[in-house]
Structure formats: structure tokens, C-alpha cells
């Protein structure tokens, strides 16, 4: 009699499928901590690895749709905590965990410490915008604190060189994770502030990573040192989604290292364009002012009277004043003569000797007064004439001739001719007259340069 009951015999696939349903129903969500081993990344993007402790191991799979959210680097020997569901791969009957979340072991404690420190420093006012320093618009010196091999450093230097190549850049190479990172970062800030030529702005940067990788920038000492810096600080820690305590303490936070370099420096091409516009505006203003001044100069030049013409006017006025003076003197003498003749006739008519003698005395006194008045009038007229002569001499071109200069004129039949004041009035081959202190010269123009 056979021992096998045909109604109760199952295939391998059925057994594995029923076992899978039981396991998945029982362990819909589990958290497992262990060390990664046999880590494999397939071309499909899926991860396959084992979690082990000192007594057992568990096969795991993490599909590409979920592992793309893991920020930390995954490798063998790494202690991690995973979340997922337990299942059985029915084709092989392999017991495994299907992982939908992975983080380094202890990251939950790091997150709790991060939240506590952020809240405490925030309540102290360490992140208050009022205490933050402004970023200078045109820095001459930029300091960069980063790892020497970091891609973030290369991004910062590339953007600085492209945007503002004249800026001086000083790099302070430090460890950005691990045991030595905290002390080296603090020392870099101290060295930057002790420089003889202190930087105008400091950029502190590194690439992305897990909360454990970024732990140095979540230290209280680093946050307080950044907040106390006497130089404006721009923090660009990790990727855009990574936010550290250092980012909150810095004067400005940049989402990426390249953005930090853009915040620290102006756009050199835009500056050159702006300078060009200013230069053009200044040139236009200068040309406008020059044209205005030239118009004013031409107007003043048109109002000026040639010295020769002014001298002619003053000489004519002197002649008129001399003629008026002579006429006034002759009129005064004529009146005096008529008065004398009248008195002489009166004396003859009266005849008595006494009256004759008295009249003679009066005539003599009147004559003396007339002579004194004539002398005084002539002296006054002479003094006025001398003053006018001196004034004429001051503006006379003859005084200029006394100093060795010459008056160049075109002969026109007059004594002096027409003065030549510009090379444009003469042409090559033309004969001119040069008036000197003594005599004059006839000269011929060999070349006229306006």
C-alpha cells in the first residue's frame, strides 16, 4: 500500500509560492541591522547583497526604483539598517528581504542629534539673519575651504576663473569627513583670519553624502566658528537636498558649489559691458561739453575788438577832446578880451585920471585872473590829455612792438593795412607787411598751415 496521498502532493512551485505568501503575510514590514557582504550592482540598476551578523546572514534585493534614493555610498563591510518585507524567491526557493530603504547604521541617532543641535542653536539666535555679514559685491580675495581631491573644489575654481578671473583665490585643504575633519576645518578658519591680506569672503564646500559623511559640518564647534567668523562665509555642503548646521550658521547658503562661486563674485562679462556703457556715456558727455565750449569761444571771439581798431577809436576820441579843449580856451580868452575892451572904453569915456588909474588896476587884476584861469585850464586839459595818452599807450600795439613783436598785415592803402590774425587769411605766395618798432618789412608767404 503506497504511503503517498496523491491529494496531498504539491509541486515545488506550489510549496515555494505558499511559503512566500505565508512569509509576506507575516513579515510585511521589518527593520534589520547588519553588515553588507557580497554586494553586487547589476546592469539593470538592481542591488543584490547579504546582511550578516556574527551568527547568520540574510539575502537581500533592492530594486533600482528604490535604491536611487539612497544618498550614501554602499559597499561591502558597511553597517546599515534596512527596511523592507520578507519574501521567498520562488524560482530558487531562496528566503530574502526585499528592501525599500537603506541607511548607515546609527543614522537615526545622528538625525536626532542634528535636530537637537539645530533647535538649540536656533533658539540662541545663532541663525538670526540680522547677525549675518553681507557678501561684498567686488571681492579681491576669496578663500576656499575644501578637500584637495573634491569635485566640489574643482567646480568652485572653474566658476571663479570664468566669472571673475582677476580675483585672488587661496585654498585651504582639509579633511571633510572622518575623525580629523572637525579640527582641520576649525584650523582653516583661523589661518584665513590670520592672513596678512585677509580674504573678503570664505567658501566652505564639499560634495554630497550621508548624514554620517556630513557629520563634521553638523558639529557645534564648526557651526559656532562659522557664526563667529569676521569674514563673510558662504556654505555649499553636499547636494541641493543636503542641509547641514554649517549651512544655517553661514552668512549665505548655496545649493551647489558652483552656485557658491557665483554668489561670491560678480559676472566679469557683465562688468565689462557696464564699463563700456559708462565709457561711451562719458565720451558723449565730453564731446557735448567740447562743442558747447567751442560755441562759447566763437561767440567771445566775435565780440572781441582788434587792438588796432580800439587804438584808432581812442586816437580819434583824443583828437576830439583836444579840439574841444582848444575851443574852450579860445572862448575863455575871447570873453576876457571883450571884458577888457569894454572896461577900456569905459575908462576913456570917464576921463578923470583917478578913474583911469582905478580902471587900470582893475584891468590888471582881471588880466591876472584870466591868465591864471587860462594857465589852470591848460594844466587841467594837459593832465587829462596825458592820462588819455597813457591809456592809449597801454593798449597800443606800438607797445607790443617795443617788446620785439611785429604786426603782420595785408596792404590795403592805409597806414597799417588789414591785420592778419589767422593762417587762413593768407595764401602761399602772397606779400604781407610786418610792422616793427622801427620801420616795416615786406614779407612773402611760403607756406600757410591753417
Amino acid at each position: 500500500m503506497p504511503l503517498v496521498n496523491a491529494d496531498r502532493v504539491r509541486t515545488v512551485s506550489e510549496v515555494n509560492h505558499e511559503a512566500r505568501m505565508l512569509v509576506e503575510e507575516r513579515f510585511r514590514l521589518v527593520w534589520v541591522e547588519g553588515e553588507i557582504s557580497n554586494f553586487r550592482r547589476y546592469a539593470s540598476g538592481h542591488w543584490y547583497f547579504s546582511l550578516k551578523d556574527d551568527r547568520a546572514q540574510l539575502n537581500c534585493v533592492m530594486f533600482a526604483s528604490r535604491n536611487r534614493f539612497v544618498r550614501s555610498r554602499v559597499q561591502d563591510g558597511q553597517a546599515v539598517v534596512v527596511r523592507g518585507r520578507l519574501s521567498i524567491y520562488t524560482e530558487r526557493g531562496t528566503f530574502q528581504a526585499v528592501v525599500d530603504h537603506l541607511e548607515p547604521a546609527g543614522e537615526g541617532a545622528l538625525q536626532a542629534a542634528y535636530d537637537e543641535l539645530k533647535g538649540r542653536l536656533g533658539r540662541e539666535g545663532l541663525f538670526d539673519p540680522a547677525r549675518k555679514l553681507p557678501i561684498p559685491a567686488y571681492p579681491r580675495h576669496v578663500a576656499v575651504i575644501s578637500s584637495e581631491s573634491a569635485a566640489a573644489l574643482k567646480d568652485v575654481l572653474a566658476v571663479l576663473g570664468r566669472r571673475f578671473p582677476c580675483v585672488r583665490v587661496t585654498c585651504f585643504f582639509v579633511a571633510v569627513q572622518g575623525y580629523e575633519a572637525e579640527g582641520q576645518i576649525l584650523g582653516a578658519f583661523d589661518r584665513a583670519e590670520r592672513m596678512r591680506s585677509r580674504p573678503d569672503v570664505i567658501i566652505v564646500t564639499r560634495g554630497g553624502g550621508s548624514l554620517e559623511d556630513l557629520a563634521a559640518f553638523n558639529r557645534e564647534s564648526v557651526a559656532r566658528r562659522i557664526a563667529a567668523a569676521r569674514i563673510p562665509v558662504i556654505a555649499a555642503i553636499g547636494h541641493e537636498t543636503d542641509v547641514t548646521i554649517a549651512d544655517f550658521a553661514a552668512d549665505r547658503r548655496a545649493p551647489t558649489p558652483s552656485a557658491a562661486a557665483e554668489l561670491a563674485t560678480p559676472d566679469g562679462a557683465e562688468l565689462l559691458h557696464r564699463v563700456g556703457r559708462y565709457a561711451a556715456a562719458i565720451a558723449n558727455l565730453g564731446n557735448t561739453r567740447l562743442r558747447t565750449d567751442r560755441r562759447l569761444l566763437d561767440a567771445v571771439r566775435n565780440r572781441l575788438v582788434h587792438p588796432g581798431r580800439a587804438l584808432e577809436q581812442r586816437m580819434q576820441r583824443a583828437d576830439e577832446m583836444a579840439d574841444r579843449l582848444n575851443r574852450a580856451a579860445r572862448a575863455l580868452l575871447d570873453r576876457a578880451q571883450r571884458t577888457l575892451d569894454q572896461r577900456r572904453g569905459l575908462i576913456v569915456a570917464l576921463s578923470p585920471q583917478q578913474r583911469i588909474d582905478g580902471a587900470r588896476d582893475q584891468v590888471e587884476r582881471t588880466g591876472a585872473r584870466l591868465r591864471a584861469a587860462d594857465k589852470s585850464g591848460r594844466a587841467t586839459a594837459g593832465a587829462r590829455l596825458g592820462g588819455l595818452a597813457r591809456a592809449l599807450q597801454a593798449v597800443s600795439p606800438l607797445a607790443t612792438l617795443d617788446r620785439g613783436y611785429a604786426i603782420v598785415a595785408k596792404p590795403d592803402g592805409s597806414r597799417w593795412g588789414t591785420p592778419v590774425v589767422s593762417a587762413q587769411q593768407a595764401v602761399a605766395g602772397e606779400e604781407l607787411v610786418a610792422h616793427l618798432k622801427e620801420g616795416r618789412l615786406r614779407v612773402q608767404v611760403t607756406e600757410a598751415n591753417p
Side-chain angles (χ1 to χ4, degrees):
M1 181 176 180
L3 298 177
V4 178
N5 187 346
D7 294 335
R8 297 182 57 86
V9 175
R10 295 176 173 85
T11 65
V12 175
S13 298
E14 291 175 338
V15 171
N16 286 350
H17 179 72
E18 292 183 8
R20 173 189 171 189
M21 298 299 293
L22 290 173
V23 170
E24 290 184 352
E25 180 67 23
R26 174 66 179 81
F27 299 100
R28 293 182 177 181
L29 181 66
V30 293
W31 289 85
V32 183
E33 180 176 356
E35 179 182 316
I36 292 179
S37 66
N38 300 320
F39 179 80
R40 303 180 306 281
R41 180 185 287 105
Y42 279 59
S44 61
H46 308 321
W47 293 353
Y48 296 90
F49 55 92
S50 297
L51 281 183
K52 66 178 183 178
D53 57 20
D54 56 351
R55 290 179 294 180
Q57 70 176 19
L58 172 65
N59 292 331
C60 299
V61 59
M62 191 172 192
F63 296 111
S65 61
R66 303 303 303 175
N67 64 39
R68 64 189 181 91
F69 296 107
V70 178
R71 296 182 298 173
S72 60
R73 187 177 62 177
V74 178
Q75 58 187 357
D76 286 342
Q78 183 179 9
V80 297
V81 175
V82 301
R83 181 191 66 194
R85 56 185 172 82
L86 296 183
S87 181
I88 293 177
Y89 181 43
T90 56
E91 291 188 10
R92 293 186 180 179
T94 306
F95 179 67
Q96 64 180 10
V98 181
V99 178
D100 61 16
H101 175 77
L102 183 150
E103 65 181 42
E107 188 159 326
L110 290 175
Q111 183 66 48
Y114 171 93
D115 294 336
E116 188 278 331
L117 179 61
K118 177 186 173 184
R120 179 160 53 85
L121 296 182
R123 289 189 294 273
E124 289 184 17
L126 202 71
F127 309 146
D128 189 352
R131 54 149 292 277
K132 295 181 182 294
L133 301 176
I135 306 301
Y138 305 100
R140 293 175 296 178
H141 186 186
V142 174
V144 182
I145 298 176
S146 184
S147 171
E148 184 174 7
S149 60
L153 175 64
K154 297 177 182 178
D155 292 342
V156 169
L157 296 180
V159 174
L160 291 178
R162 173 176 55 81
R163 283 177 60 86
F164 206 51
C166 63
V167 70
R168 174 186 173 188
V169 180
T170 300
C171 294
F172 295 94
F173 300 127
V174 299
V176 293
Q177 68 183 67
Y179 176 76
E180 298 178 345
E182 181 179 1
Q184 292 185 12
I185 294 171
L186 296 176
F189 276 96
D190 293 339
R191 293 199 306 276
E193 292 189 342
R194 287 198 303 266
M195 293 185 68
R196 176 169 298 182
S197 176
R198 288 201 324 180
D200 299 303
V201 63
I202 296 175
I203 298 175
V204 55
T205 185
R206 65 148 288 163
S210 66
L211 196 60
E212 185 176 15
D213 294 336
L214 304 177
F217 296 95
N218 289 320
R219 303 289 188 204
E220 182 174 356
S221 59
V222 173
R224 291 190 181 278
R225 184 64 184 84
I226 291 176
R230 292 172 291 172
I231 301 172
V233 178
I234 300 175
I237 311 301
H239 300 301
E240 187 169 357
T241 56
D242 297 321
V243 182
T244 65
I245 301 296
D247 291 312
F248 291 108
D251 298 294
R252 291 289 297 273
R253 176 189 179 262
T256 63
S258 298
E262 293 177 356
L263 285 174
T265 54
D267 188 344
E270 172 61 25
L271 284 179
L272 289 176
H273 181 65
R274 191 183 309 169
V275 169
R277 294 201 309 269
Y278 291 158
I282 292 173
N284 291 335
L285 181 61
N287 291 334
T288 302
R289 180 63 182 271
L290 183 60
R291 288 193 295 269
T292 301
D293 290 345
R294 282 177 177 171
R295 287 196 296 269
L296 291 176
L297 181 60
D298 292 340
V300 172
R301 183 182 297 159
N302 293 334
R303 290 198 300 267
L304 291 176
V305 179
H306 189 275
R309 298 188 183 93
L311 179 61
E312 292 174 355
Q313 294 290 327
R314 290 182 178 273
M315 291 174 62
Q316 185 175 355
R317 182 170 177 78
D319 290 341
E320 291 179 354
M321 294 186 68
D323 184 62
R324 291 172 58 187
L325 182 62
N326 289 332
R327 288 200 303 268
R330 285 196 299 270
L332 182 62
L333 289 176
D334 290 344
R335 286 197 301 271
Q337 186 64 45
R338 286 195 300 270
T339 301
L340 182 61
D341 292 343
Q342 291 174 358
R343 291 184 180 277
R344 283 178 179 175
L346 181 61
I347 291 171
V348 172
L350 293 177
S351 296
Q353 187 65 38
Q354 184 177 2
R355 291 188 177 184
I356 291 174
D357 294 338
R360 184 181 293 112
D361 293 339
Q362 187 175 3
V363 168
E364 291 178 355
R365 288 194 298 273
T366 301
R369 287 197 299 271
L370 289 175
R371 288 191 294 275
D374 179 61
K375 182 178 180 181
S376 176
R378 287 179 178 273
T380 301
R384 292 182 61 188
L385 184 59
L388 291 173
R390 287 190 296 274
L392 291 175
Q393 183 64 23
V395 297
S396 173
L398 299 178
T400 303
L401 299 181
D402 289 341
R403 295 195 297 273
Y405 294 94
I407 297 176
V408 179
K410 289 185 176 182
D412 60 0
S414 64
R415 178 182 176 186
W416 291 92
T418 302
V420 177
V421 297
S422 171
Q424 295 178 345
Q425 294 180 249
V427 296
E430 184 179 10
E431 288 191 356
L432 303 176
V433 177
H435 296 278
L436 307 176
K437 176 182 178 183
E438 296 181 0
R440 57 185 180 177
L441 299 175
R442 288 191 174 274
V443 298
Q444 187 174 31
V445 178
T446 60
E447 183 179 357
N449 294 318

